[in-house]
Amino acid sequence: MKLPHTVTLFQPSGRTVLSGVLLESTRGTSVSKTAMNSADTVTLHIPFSVAPDLRLDPETDYFAYGDVPDEGNYQANREKHEVYRVTSVARYDYGSPQMRHWEVGGK
C-alpha cells in the first residue's frame, strides 16, 4: 500500500523530503488546575522502505507537512508552514516487511 503524504525533515545536517508516509493529526485541549493548554499532536508513520536508517533527535529535529523549502530555522518555518517538533521516535521492526515502520511523534 502506498501512503499518501509527503513531509520534509529538518535536521542540523540538512533537509530531507520523504514521500509515501502517513501523517495523522489529533487536535484538542487539555485542562489543568492552572490553565488550558493545546493538546494538538501528530503521529508520522514512515515505512522502512522509505527511510530504513532513520536517525532523529528530539532536541534539534522537526518536520513539516509537504515538500517545503528551508526558511532558515524552526520559528521561520513555523510562520509559513505546518511544522512540528519531534517529540518521540519508535521503531516497529516486526511483522511482514511491508508492516515495518518508524513512528514519530510531534507537537
Side-chain angles (χ1 to χ4, degrees):
M1 176 168 96
K2 178 143 173 61
L3 299 175
H5 300 129
T6 298
V7 297
T8 305
L9 295 177
F10 294 95
Q11 299 175 292
S13 60
R15 169 185 170 272
T16 305
V17 176
L18 301 175
S19 293
V21 300
L22 179 66
L23 184 63
E24 296 178 303
S25 177
T26 304
R27 305 250 184 243
T29 56
S30 66
V31 179
S32 67
K33 289 182 181 180
T34 58
M36 233 165 110
N37 298 310
S38 170
D40 296 350
T41 60
V42 295
T43 304
L44 175 60
H45 301 274
I46 306 171
F48 281 5
S49 61
V50 173
D53 296 320
L54 187 66
R55 302 279 185 254
L56 292 175
D57 182 2
E59 303 267 330
T60 59
D61 300 343
Y62 59 96
F63 57 94
Y65 180 66
D67 182 353
V68 301
D70 190 354
E71 304 294 344
N73 60 37
Y74 171 77
Q75 194 58 41
N77 276 311
R78 188 177 170 107
E79 290 171 6
K80 295 185 177 183
H81 310 288
E82 189 177 330
V83 177
Y84 305 94
R85 286 204 183 274
V86 172
T87 57
S88 64
V89 180
R91 177 185 173 114
Y92 293 97
D93 61 352
Y94 50 83
S96 69
Q98 294 83 8
M99 294 294 295
R100 296 175 188 169
H101 67 284
W102 298 98
E103 189 174 284
V104 180
K107 191 162 187 162

